[in-house]
Amino acid sequence: MSWVLVKDVEDYNGREVTLKGWVYNKRSSGKIWFLILRDGTGIIQGVVLKNEVSEEVFNKKDELSQESSIIVKGLIHEDKRSPGGYEIVVRNIQILQVAEDYPIALKEHGVEFLMDNRHLWLRSRKQWAILRIRHTVYYAITEYLNQNAFVRFDSPLLTPNACEGTTTLFTVPYFDLGNAYLSQSGQLYLEAGIMSLGRVYDFGPVFRAEKSKTRKHLTEFWMMDAEAAFVEHDENLKIQEELIRFVINAVLGKNRADLEILDRDIEQLQKADAPFKRMTHKEAVVFLRTKGSDIDDNSDLGAKDEVLLTENSDVPIFVEKWPKEIKAFYMKRDKENPDLVLGADLIAPEGFGEIIGGSQREDDYDLLYKRMVAEDMPLDEYQWFLDLRKYGSVPHSGFGVGLERLVQWMSGVVHIREAIPFARTIYRLRP
Amino acid sequence: MSWVLVKDVEDYNGREVTLKGWVYNKRSSGKIWFLILRDGTGIIQGVVLKNEVSEEVFNKKDELSQESSIIVKGLIHEDKRSPGGYEIVVRNIQILQVAEDYPIALKEHGVEFLMDNRHLWLRSRKQWAILRIRHTVYYAITEYLNQNAFVRFDSPLLTPNACEGTTTLFTVPYFDLGNAYLSQSGQLYLEAGIMSLGRVYDFGPVFRAEKSKTRKHLTEFWMMDAEAAFVEHDENLKIQEELIRFVINAVLGKNRADLEILDRDIEQLQKADAPFKRMTHKEAVVFLRTKGSDIDDNSDLGAKDEVLLTENSDVPIFVEKWPKEIKAFYMKRDKENPDLVLGADLIAPEGFGEIIGGSQREDDYDLLYKRMVAEDMPLDEYQWFLDLRKYGSVPHSGFGVGLERLVQWMSGVVHIREAIPFARTIYRLRP
């Protein structure tokens, strides 16, 4: 590379370099003006001194609008007062393009306007910081899994049948084979994968054609599903806790500057890196009622319940052993109480809600078969899934992590639409 | 974990351990029998000696069918003659499930039968090895990119418009917003991403509703698209070459045993790790005609041309500077000959065909606008894409790598359907 990235300028202190990027801001004070340059890897202040550059270069300040693209030559110089600790004393500025009036000024805009201009809004500091945190979260998840003998196993998105329910599926006409449906979870395929590889995961987009318009719902979002042979309920929770704490540490270690840009309460994240709490669904219901919730014995937790449940907890809370009626057919029953399943949801603190759902899976052919019959599922479509209980069935468990939910929590953003480059919601398919 | 994975047995030499897995094979010889156990992380031979176990345990050999799930206790023991260098002297065997007659015996089966039973076929040694190579290839790609300042930027799959053409798109009815289409490439979105992050990539499934039924086509496959600001044509090729050589080295370093299972010619892969060749499209056409091809001046390379082109080359070949008529509207024209574009395809040796397509992108608003008008594209749908040339346009380039094509080449498998867990083709959506 014939130029230097802003993130690397500390390696070039006292040296003349070329930087390439965009004008983020500028301000003037007589014989000196300051150019704030961003290049995607960082932001640096350029100092332009009337006495040290040609008149032509000095006068470029009048020409340069926000987001103009430029190539800057100058001397890197450590300066503790400067935002990144370094500045560049400018020798020359080459203008690639003077940007037209940039629609997103450094001020407040309405959300619809920003989402209509998402292709530009992405350049704003906060959006930039969130995307960098998203990168860290993604690779912290895969790093933990790879270190723990999980193998990547990409499950298909075009599926002939639904994993759970059919009312919230996107339909895709598929050649002469009728309709395909966009996957909501790769779990069933992963259960085949563990029989080959022991521990597997996928990590890709999944789809829910839900008409929800909350701040936690997207129609297209990224999910990591993990599945492990011979892992039972307790160990399943242990893996999940280790994984989430690994992610917290990665973000705290790598994205401190981004968290500051976002005004994230870093102490809250640090406090979440401690042993997670665990309560049964029944205990959660009793507790929530003392807090004023009108939740039923056999109800899922509502968004308000999730907030109430965690409002005095620094760490995430596992809610486990759910009534079988409100959980999926494939969950294994609790030996001690067959009305409950060995499933758990993990609820993040600070009101960020559910970030993981998981369970031990039913590994007995006959029990699974009966449940599928009772739920009126198309047995021929699922025969391959039943086969897994016929040829060397083993106890196994798994869970799914919603990437955007986790990014939302880590970065502290209020609305999930900012946790993904181009959000898709019930009312938005563009840009 | 309360048991040991086969991949880790060398750390337990001389110690008693518990292994959990499936019966891969067994053979008997009087007072001794051998149990071949696989657990997803490796395969190990168990030795069961009549004198050292109870009669009950010794007699389990009659009960254990292929793919039965078991828990084995025994002593790990280094043995150079053993396949993995270690064996386990069995003390106890606990049977979890005696598998029913396993449909895939250790013999040859027809492809349709195997694909119908893909959920089981995955357990076969060769399929297992290919999936492990796929894992390595995926993470070698992301590791190279992450080391080189690229940031993950997941582009959406539900899109209102097509990147290239519309005849090969899968259609998805999208609430009240009309039809969405499944993405064929995230490139256009990545071009917005570089203006925020400098260098970005996505890596997820993409879709082509093509009626091709060749050994190189899937309707759902995984693609990595990378895009970088300020990178021009020559550097674009340099990045691609470094990336592919990084992948080759990763596979050679981490998957030697898997390559052996697949009878892959390892020397061929080693030879491919050398400077790549480069020729213009025009040079390629002239060369191919000397080889007997009837390719036109303005034609894409056919599958046979790709084979002919590389048949005497150990390394991949870049074919660059294509006639503008046969490449996409967004490719930048060659300054020296405006009838050509600064695009390149990378053709793998050994007949594995195209693995990368890339180009420098047109960064001039007016030129791009004119081309879009000429191609009769819906300008309002692409205004956001044009905007990127209005607010600080910069020279930039990118490319897309087909994961399954690369896995096919690395592992030497003839048909691409084996390079992905559950292949989707024009005739196959199940299991």
Side-chain angles (χ1 to χ4, degrees):
Chain A
M1 216 156 72
S2 57
W3 72 100
V4 169
L5 300 174
V6 170
K7 75 175 176 65
D8 299 325
V9 291
E10 61 181 354
D11 300 335
Y12 293 86
N13 191 26
R15 287 166 61 187
E16 178 129 336
V17 303
T18 300
L19 302 177
K20 301 185 177 186
W22 295 268
V23 175
Y24 185 69
N25 208 348
K26 60 178 182 180
R27 57 198 166 81
S28 186
S29 88
K31 293 189 174 170
I32 183 170
W33 65 277
F34 299 95
L35 164 72
I36 315 298
L37 177 85
R38 60 170 198 86
D39 79 341
T41 73
I43 294 184
I44 191 169
Q45 175 168 280
V47 186
V48 191
L49 297 156
K50 196 175 178 76
N51 293 338
E52 301 212 4
V53 294
S54 69
E55 199 174 329
E56 187 208 342
V57 168
F58 192 79
N59 289 338
K60 282 185 177 167
K61 83 166 182 301
D62 303 324
E63 214 180 328
L64 286 175
S65 54
Q66 186 190 348
E67 289 303 316
S68 292
S69 43
I70 53 175
I71 299 176
V72 174
K73 278 193 174 30
L75 195 74
I76 297 298
H77 167 74
E78 189 167 7
D79 186 332
K80 298 240 187 297
R81 296 161 307 172
S82 219
Y86 291 84
E87 56 182 27
I88 180 166
V89 182
V90 175
R91 297 267 190 260
N92 193 26
I93 298 172
Q94 180 194 340
I95 298 177
L96 294 176
Q97 186 185 45
V98 174
E100 290 187 25
D101 269 359
Y102 192 62
I104 303 181
L106 302 174
K107 58 166 191 179
E108 291 289 314
H109 290 279
V111 163
E112 283 308 302
F113 175 82
L114 291 171
M115 287 302 285
D116 286 341
N117 288 284
R118 182 62 174 167
H119 57 294
L120 303 177
W121 188 26
L122 292 166
R123 306 183 189 189
S124 302
R125 277 185 89 183
K126 289 198 175 186
Q127 301 307 313
W128 176 74
I130 295 167
L131 291 172
R132 286 156 53 93
I133 290 170
R134 182 181 166 104
H135 177 96
T136 299
V137 172
Y138 189 99
Y139 287 106
I141 291 172
T142 61
E143 190 182 344
Y144 173 83
L145 293 168
N146 294 350
Q147 283 174 5
N148 286 277
F150 286 84
V151 180
R152 190 176 182 102
F153 182 90
D154 299 307
S155 56
L157 285 191
L158 292 168
T159 60
N161 44 48
C163 179
E164 298 170 52
T166 51
T167 54
T168 58
L169 288 172
F170 285 109
T171 305
V172 188
Y174 194 84
F175 303 110
D176 299 331
L177 300 181
N179 280 334
Y181 302 95
L182 293 182
S183 181
Q184 298 193 328
S185 159
Q187 179 200 318
L188 304 196
Y189 297 99
L190 296 182
E191 291 188 51
I194 59 168
M195 305 287 182
S196 169
L197 292 151
R199 298 175 162 216
V200 297
Y201 65 99
D202 62 17
F203 203 166
V206 291
F207 300 86
R208 299 226 174 134
E210 273 182 293
K211 299 205 167 171
S212 328
K213 36 177 291 199
T214 78
R215 62 186 184 82
K216 287 179 192 162
H217 284 89
L218 295 168
T219 57
E220 174 178 349
F221 56 99
W222 280 63
M223 177 100 106
M224 189 288 292
D225 288 299
E227 197 74 25
F230 303 107
V231 165
E232 305 191 37
H233 178 62
D234 283 335
E235 191 171 359
N236 195 29
L237 300 199
K238 183 167 163 278
I239 292 171
Q240 293 169 45
E241 176 170 338
E242 280 181 11
L243 170 66
I244 297 300
R245 293 180 65 180
F246 191 89
V247 170
I248 296 171
N249 278 289
V251 171
L252 286 172
K254 295 178 184 173
N255 295 88
R256 196 57 72 115
D258 300 306
L259 295 170
E260 281 163 11
I261 288 171
L262 294 164
D263 296 321
R264 180 71 174 104
D265 184 341
I266 289 173
E267 208 184 320
Q268 282 297 329
L269 283 184
Q270 288 165 329
K271 282 186 193 160
D273 178 28
F276 292 0
K277 287 179 192 156
R278 199 165 152 175
M279 56 172 75
T280 64
H281 176 266
K282 193 173 178 179
E283 288 164 349
V285 166
V286 169
F287 174 78
L288 286 167
R289 284 181 189 153
T290 69
K291 293 276 211 167
S293 169
D294 57 357
I295 186 172
D296 289 331
D297 284 352
N298 281 350
S299 279
D300 202 351
L301 271 56
K304 282 180 188 166
D305 293 321
E306 291 178 349
V307 172
L308 283 176
L309 189 75
T310 54
E311 67 180 354
N312 291 309
S313 177
D314 286 331
V315 297
I317 299 175
F318 283 113
V319 180
E320 62 172 345
K321 302 199 176 175
W322 292 66
K324 65 182 194 300
E325 292 79 8
I326 56 170
K327 286 290 183 186
F329 73 97
Y330 50 70
M331 292 192 183
K332 193 176 175 74
R333 301 285 159 86
D334 186 5
K335 260 192 308 216
E336 287 157 27
N337 181 349
D339 289 335
L340 303 179
V341 295
L342 295 175
D345 288 355
L346 184 63
I347 317 296
E350 301 179 77
F352 286 99
E354 184 189 332
I355 47 172
I356 298 187
S359 72
Q360 184 165 348
R361 319 304 190 186
E362 183 53 69
D363 50 64
D364 183 88
Y365 188 99
D366 294 331
L367 290 177
L368 190 65
Y369 181 88
K370 277 180 202 150
R371 270 179 235 153
M372 290 169 74
V373 168
E375 297 207 8
D376 211 18
M377 292 171 67
L379 291 174
D380 49 340
E381 283 287 10
Y382 288 95
Q383 187 53 52
W384 69 269
F385 185 63
L386 282 162
D387 273 0
L388 307 176
R389 279 73 182 168
K390 205 151 84 178
Y391 304 111
S393 191
V394 297
H396 63 288
S397 303
F399 60 94
V401 180
L403 175 60
E404 288 77 16
R405 294 276 184 92
L406 199 46
V407 171
Q408 224 190 328
W409 173 30
M410 290 300 112
S411 47
V413 294
V414 172
H415 201 294
I416 198 164
R417 67 184 156 229
E418 296 182 40
I420 189 167
F422 290 91
R424 296 296 181 243
T425 61
I426 170 170
Y427 297 123
R428 181 168 294 281
L429 185 59
R430 296 175 167 84
Chain B
M1 217 157 71
S2 57
W3 72 100
V4 168
L5 299 175
V6 170
K7 76 176 176 64
D8 298 326
V9 291
E10 63 182 352
D11 300 335
Y12 294 85
N13 190 26
R15 288 165 62 184
E16 178 128 337
V17 302
T18 300
L19 303 177
K20 300 184 177 185
W22 295 268
V23 175
Y24 185 71
N25 208 349
K26 60 179 181 178
R27 56 200 166 82
S28 187
S29 87
K31 291 186 175 172
I32 183 169
W33 65 277
F34 300 96
L35 165 72
I36 315 299
L37 178 85
R38 61 170 196 86
D39 78 341
T41 73
I43 293 183
I44 190 168
Q45 175 168 280
V47 186
V48 191
L49 297 157
K50 196 174 178 77
N51 293 339
E52 302 212 4
V53 294
S54 69
E55 198 174 328
E56 188 208 341
V57 169
F58 192 80
N59 289 338
K60 281 184 178 168
K61 83 166 185 300
D62 303 324
E63 215 179 327
L64 286 175
S65 54
Q66 187 190 350
E67 290 302 316
S68 293
S69 43
I70 54 175
I71 299 175
V72 175
K73 279 192 173 32
L75 195 75
I76 297 297
H77 167 73
E78 190 167 6
D79 186 331
K80 299 240 187 296
R81 296 160 306 173
S82 220
Y86 292 84
E87 56 182 28
I88 179 167
V89 182
V90 175
R91 298 270 188 258
N92 193 27
I93 298 172
Q94 180 194 340
I95 298 176
L96 294 176
Q97 185 185 45
V98 174
E100 290 188 24
D101 270 358
Y102 192 62
I104 303 181
L106 302 175
K107 59 164 190 179
E108 292 288 315
H109 291 278
V111 164
E112 283 307 301
F113 175 82
L114 291 171
M115 287 302 285
D116 286 342
N117 287 283
R118 183 63 174 167
H119 58 295
L120 303 176
W121 188 25
L122 291 166
R123 306 183 189 188
S124 302
R125 274 185 90 184
K126 289 198 176 188
Q127 301 307 311
W128 176 75
I130 295 167
L131 292 172
R132 286 155 54 92
I133 290 171
R134 182 181 167 102
H135 177 96
T136 299
V137 172
Y138 189 98
Y139 286 106
I141 291 172
T142 61
E143 191 183 343
Y144 173 83
L145 293 168
N146 294 349
Q147 283 174 6
N148 286 278
F150 285 85
V151 179
R152 189 175 183 102
F153 182 91
D154 299 306
S155 57
L157 284 190
L158 292 168
T159 61
N161 44 48
C163 179
E164 298 169 54
T166 52
T167 53
T168 58
L169 289 172
F170 285 109
T171 305
V172 188
Y174 194 82
F175 303 110
D176 300 332
L177 301 180
N179 279 334
Y181 302 95
L182 293 182
S183 180
Q184 297 192 331
S185 159
Q187 178 200 320
L188 304 197
Y189 296 98
L190 295 183
E191 291 188 51
I194 58 167
M195 304 288 181
S196 169
L197 292 151
R199 300 175 160 215
V200 297
Y201 65 99
D202 63 16
F203 203 165
V206 290
F207 300 86
R208 299 226 174 135
E210 273 181 295
K211 298 204 166 170
S212 329
K213 37 176 290 198
T214 78
R215 62 185 184 83
K216 286 178 193 162
H217 284 88
L218 296 167
T219 56
E220 174 179 349
F221 56 100
W222 280 63
M223 177 101 106
M224 189 288 292
D225 288 299
E227 197 74 24
F230 303 106
V231 165
E232 304 190 37
H233 178 61
D234 283 336
E235 191 170 359
N236 194 28
L237 300 199
K238 183 167 164 279
I239 292 171
Q240 292 169 45
E241 176 170 339
E242 280 182 12
L243 171 65
I244 297 301
R245 293 179 65 180
F246 191 90
V247 170
I248 296 171
N249 278 290
V251 171
L252 287 172
K254 294 176 184 173
N255 295 89
R256 197 57 73 116
D258 300 307
L259 295 170
E260 281 164 11
I261 288 171
L262 294 163
D263 295 322
R264 180 70 175 104
D265 185 341
I266 289 172
E267 210 184 318
Q268 282 298 328
L269 284 184
Q270 287 166 330
K271 283 187 194 161
D273 178 27
F276 292 0
K277 288 179 193 157
R278 200 166 152 175
M279 57 172 75
T280 64
H281 176 266
K282 193 173 177 179
E283 289 164 349
V285 166
V286 169
F287 175 78
L288 286 167
R289 285 181 189 153
T290 69
K291 291 278 210 166
S293 170
D294 56 358
I295 186 171
D296 289 331
D297 284 351
N298 282 350
S299 279
D300 201 352
L301 273 55
K304 281 181 189 165
D305 293 322
E306 291 178 349
V307 173
L308 283 177
L309 188 75
T310 54
E311 68 180 355
N312 291 311
S313 177
D314 285 331
V315 297
I317 299 176
F318 282 113
V319 180
E320 60 173 343
K321 302 198 177 178
W322 292 65
K324 64 182 195 300
E325 291 78 10
I326 56 170
K327 286 290 182 185
F329 73 96
Y330 51 70
M331 292 191 183
K332 195 177 175 74
R333 301 284 159 85
D334 186 4
K335 261 191 307 214
E336 288 157 27
N337 180 350
D339 289 335
L340 304 180
V341 295
L342 295 175
D345 287 356
L346 183 64
I347 317 295
E350 301 179 78
F352 286 100
E354 183 190 334
I355 47 171
I356 298 187
S359 72
Q360 185 165 346
R361 319 304 190 185
E362 183 52 70
D363 50 65
D364 183 89
Y365 188 99
D366 294 331
L367 290 176
L368 190 64
Y369 182 87
K370 276 180 205 152
R371 269 179 236 153
M372 290 169 75
V373 169
E375 298 206 9
D376 210 18
M377 293 171 67
L379 292 174
D380 50 340
E381 283 288 10
Y382 288 96
Q383 187 53 54
W384 68 269
F385 185 63
L386 282 162
D387 273 0
L388 307 175
R389 278 73 181 167
K390 205 151 83 178
Y391 304 110
S393 191
V394 298
H396 63 287
S397 302
F399 59 94
V401 181
L403 175 60
E404 287 77 15
R405 294 276 183 93
L406 198 47
V407 171
Q408 223 189 327
W409 174 30
M410 291 298 112
S411 46
V413 295
V414 172
H415 202 294
I416 198 164
R417 67 184 156 229
E418 297 183 39
I420 189 167
F422 290 91
R424 297 295 181 245
T425 61
I426 170 169
Y427 297 123
R428 179 167 295 280
L429 185 59
R430 296 175 168 80

